[in-house]
Amino acid sequence: MDDDDELLPNEDGYLDLKYRGWTEIDDAIWSLSERLVTIDISFNGITTVPETLGSLTQLKELNCSCNNITSLPRSIGRLWNLKILKANGNQLSKIPEEIG
């Protein structure tokens, strides 16, 4: 399997990226905005989630638990379809007001 294939969601829009040892999110993820419904980036070493998260307009579930994330981007408020956010096991000091 090509590395690029590993960054494609399945037919249900699910992308499993847990336990990869990442410290940042691969830029290729942001080009999947129309296809990505669920993304699991848990159990990595990710420290920041970029503002480009807001471009994943079809996202319904984000699991970013058990990383080293200190804050979530304000753009998360643009994810109108987001129903489930799992962010436990991080270093979050506050949640953006935009989540509402």
Side-chain angles (χ1 to χ4, degrees):
M1 179 178 281
D2 293 327
D3 289 339
D4 290 341
D5 290 342
E6 293 180 17
L7 295 179
L8 294 176
N10 68 15
E11 61 276 355
D12 296 324
Y14 175 75
L15 184 57
D16 182 357
L17 300 173
K18 62 183 176 274
Y19 293 107
R20 292 187 177 237
W22 287 4
T23 55
E24 58 185 35
I25 301 170
D26 192 299
D27 287 339
I29 303 304
W30 314 123
S31 66
L32 303 172
S33 62
E34 295 300 316
R35 299 175 53 193
L36 202 53
V37 175
T38 302
I39 185 170
D40 187 343
I41 56 171
S42 62
F43 296 96
N44 281 288
I46 296 168
T47 56
T48 60
V49 178
E51 285 292 329
T52 46
L53 174 69
S55 69
L56 302 177
T57 56
Q58 302 303 313
L59 198 65
K60 293 182 180 178
E61 182 175 347
L62 170 62
N63 184 350
C64 60
S65 59
C66 300
N67 280 286
N68 297 315
I69 300 168
T70 56
S71 64
L72 294 171
R74 296 176 65 186
S75 65
I76 198 168
R78 293 195 308 258
L79 301 177
W80 300 109
N81 293 311
L82 190 67
K83 303 294 183 216
I84 299 170
L85 171 61
K86 297 177 183 175
N88 57 300
N90 282 292
Q91 309 297 319
L92 294 172
S93 58
K94 66 178 184 175
I95 300 292
E97 292 178 17
E98 289 78 8
I99 288 181

